[in-house]
Amino acid sequence: VDVEMLDGRAVCPVDHHSAEFAQHHREILDDLRESAPLVWSPLYGGFWIATRFDIVRRLAMDSAGLTVAPGPHRTGGIQIPAPPGLKTRPLFVPGEADGQEHDDYRMALNPHFSKQRVAELTPMIERHVSGTIDAILDSRRFDVVNDLVGPILAGVACEHLGLEVENPAGFFQAMFEMVSYTPTESSGGDKFDQVARAFSQEWQAVVDLVADRRSNPREDVVSHLVRWTTPAFTDEQIQMMTLNVILGASDTTKSLVSQAVLYLDQDREVRDRLRRQPDLIRKSVEEFLRLFVVAMGPCRTATQDVEIAGVTIKQGERLMLSFPAANHDPAKYPDPDEFSLERGAGQHLAMGVGTHFCLGAWLAKSISTITLRELLDRVPDYVVDADGIRGAHDKNSLNHFESMPAAVTPDDLLASAP
Ligand code: HEM
């Protein structure tokens, strides 16, 4: 891409919603990182893009100068431009809140997602993984996204929250679509009405859950939030926290594990090594987080002028923090496109940093580690049908996968080929 200097700004019309960006984001982001510390795209009302590791990290830590909040007219927030659903849907918190309000939500949620609490959840996670793999072994052909990772995540998240829904896949899909829906040329105007209708139908389960736990508390996360007193939350606030956990525990983790399963299909040396030494899987999950693109780049709005690397982000201007670009900054990670268990990827920004650091980091890493360990152990000869993979056309905020066909053995793949 071409970056030119205009009025003291490095400018390039980067379109993070385009098919070109979805396919070539790595090269585009590499070019931007090499060109300037911050690049201004004049599209979508104009926004800055930060790509260098140290700069992205410093900006992500500045939650006072750069807010995630959508603002009173809901025109800001963590996506550029603000998607249509943001006007009417409940906000998800703590991810769309700042200041004291954000910290109140985190204080109430943190104990249920801590390292220690997630360790206690291990048998529950193992039960969901094991049942899902039993089903895969029975059916021989499976979809990595929809038959392996999807049911495990939905099962774990629903059980932890206390949510009982008839069709978890449909429920998670409705939540995700409402938050991520961005109009494209092909989708027309009608699709959003459908998305909004599906969301409000499924959302009732969250409203009912919170109301039910007010009178019948149990031991799940929602019951604990209902009992919390410092401060006490309204039903609406608990619904908004539940929404954030649902969203976090779904498509991000799905994307990470699906990409890991695909990577291990292609790199047989690493696959054999991890099978022989399962203790290395936890460490490889950390490197997969650095290497793969999952969360594309949450956005911010400047609440005041912010000076960085000789550039002024003016009050009211928008900014995208490109976590994937930062994780591939060769100044931080030499040979960034290589998988390496030796590099020590622990400081990567795949789960953010600072105040908004991912609440579900321990949970996501545990689910990913257990799923990969059990898959390599019980389905050691699995193969992915790489030609059948379907991914999102618009990767402005998430590297989302719709489908990744696979089989238990190469013979199973051939046996059912058309
Ligand atoms: C591989 C899986 C995951 C990835 C890559 C990921 C990534 C992220 C990132 C980048 C952020 C920071 C966003 C920002 O700075 O604006 C974040 C925040 C968050 N994540 Fe995750 N996440 C994952 C899994 C999960 C899970 C399993 C949960 C379930 C609890 C979760 C819940 C949240 C919440 C609630 C926040 C908002 C935190 C705050 O604003 O204080 N995430 N995640």
Side-chain angles (χ1 to χ4, degrees):
V1 296
D2 291 327
V3 177
E4 50 177 352
M5 289 307 288
L6 278 175
D7 300 330
R9 291 180 172 197
V11 178
C12 178
V14 179
D15 184 352
H16 57 309
H17 288 277
S18 65
E20 195 199 353
F21 188 82
Q23 270 176 26
H24 302 291
H25 50 81
R26 188 165 282 177
E27 298 91 315
I28 294 171
L29 293 169
D30 283 347
D31 283 356
L32 298 180
R33 192 192 317 99
E34 278 161 31
S35 305
L38 279 147
V39 173
W40 175 258
S41 171
L43 305 180
Y44 304 109
F47 62 103
W48 293 102
I49 309 171
T51 48
R52 294 184 184 170
F53 183 90
D54 56 335
I55 291 181
V56 174
R57 190 168 197 285
R58 271 159 57 202
L59 290 171
M61 305 275 282
D62 184 2
S63 60
L66 295 160
T67 183
V68 293
H73 305 294
R74 300 220 178 176
T75 47
I78 59 172
Q79 277 166 278
I80 295 174
L86 183 60
K87 286 271 180 233
T88 51
R89 68 164 165 83
L91 295 187
F92 55 83
V93 297
E96 293 184 313
D98 262 318
Q100 187 61 45
E101 193 195 347
H102 167 273
D103 299 350
D104 287 345
Y105 296 130
R106 277 302 288 247
M107 288 299 283
L109 285 164
N110 283 345
H112 305 290
F113 295 89
S114 65
K115 183 179 181 185
Q116 191 196 338
R117 183 70 190 117
V118 169
E120 290 164 9
L121 297 177
T122 304
M124 185 267 268
I125 299 171
E126 285 176 342
R127 172 163 46 77
H128 285 285
V129 171
S130 162
T132 306
I133 293 188
D134 288 346
I136 280 173
L137 286 171
D138 275 351
S139 61
R140 313 303 293 175
R141 279 210 69 149
F142 62 101
D143 190 295
V144 178
V145 183
N146 301 306
D147 303 326
L148 176 71
V149 201
I152 293 171
L153 286 165
V156 171
C158 287
E159 189 165 336
H160 195 37
L161 284 167
L163 192 59
E164 285 159 23
V165 284
E166 247 170 62
N167 171 10
F171 173 83
F172 277 73
Q173 175 87 359
M175 299 292 119
F176 172 74
E177 287 208 344
M178 181 64 167
V179 170
S180 67
Y181 180 85
T182 35
T184 57
E185 278 162 35
S186 55
S187 66
D190 307 343
K191 175 97 193 295
F192 179 67
D193 294 343
Q194 275 173 34
V195 166
R197 239 191 335 270
F199 176 84
S200 42
Q201 276 165 14
E202 298 284 352
W203 181 246
Q204 193 57 39
V206 176
V207 174
D208 293 347
L209 168 69
V210 178
D212 178 69
R213 294 308 191 269
R214 284 262 181 235
S215 37
N216 308 303
R218 301 187 195 169
E219 279 312 305
D220 47 53
V221 173
V222 169
S223 298
H224 284 280
L225 295 175
V226 160
R227 280 197 288 255
W228 187 259
T229 53
T230 51
F233 296 117
T234 62
D235 281 14
E236 211 182 354
Q237 287 173 313
I238 299 173
Q239 293 159 13
M240 285 154 59
M241 286 188 261
T242 307
L243 178 59
N244 206 162
V245 173
I246 290 166
L247 292 168
S250 178
D251 289 82
T252 47
T253 321
K254 258 197 222 167
S255 167
L256 177 79
V257 182
S258 304
Q259 291 184 79
V261 170
L262 176 64
Y263 181 85
L264 295 175
D265 184 54
Q266 290 163 353
D267 190 334
R268 295 299 169 120
E269 220 179 291
V270 174
R271 175 158 159 180
D272 285 345
R273 192 168 166 209
L274 297 185
R275 239 183 52 209
R276 278 184 280 109
Q277 297 172 268
D279 290 352
L280 291 177
I281 294 176
R282 176 65 181 72
K283 200 170 168 193
S284 69
V285 164
E286 211 64 62
E287 173 68 347
F288 287 145
L289 276 161
R290 183 201 66 80
L291 181 66
F292 302 146
V293 172
V294 179
M296 286 302 275
C299 303
R300 305 286 192 256
T301 309
T303 59
Q304 59 199 51
D305 286 3
V306 174
E307 305 282 340
I308 186 141
V311 175
T312 306
I313 303 171
K314 294 204 185 113
Q315 183 178 15
E317 280 181 345
R318 308 275 277 131
L319 162 75
M320 174 190 261
L321 298 168
S322 181
F323 290 140
N327 286 340
H328 284 254
D329 184 343
K332 174 70 183 170
Y333 300 110
D335 298 323
D337 301 340
E338 300 294 315
F339 173 88
S340 160
L341 282 177
E342 277 69 48
R343 71 167 76 247
Q347 289 179 337
H348 66 74
L349 299 177
M351 298 178 135
V353 67
T355 308
H356 291 287
F357 178 71
C358 178
L359 170 73
W362 288 108
L363 184 61
K365 289 175 198 180
S366 172
I367 294 175
S368 308
T369 305
I370 295 171
T371 303
L372 292 174
R373 188 189 70 206
E374 292 301 299
L375 182 74
L376 292 178
D377 182 42
R378 296 184 60 200
V379 198
D381 300 317
Y382 82 82
V383 275
V384 174
D385 174 7
D387 295 338
I389 297 175
R390 273 191 294 119
H393 299 296
D394 182 337
K395 296 191 179 173
N396 80 92
S397 73
L398 192 68
N399 190 11
H400 169 65
F401 289 86
E402 278 160 21
S403 177
M404 189 179 287
V408 170
T409 65
D411 283 350
D412 292 316
L413 193 64
L414 288 176
S416 50

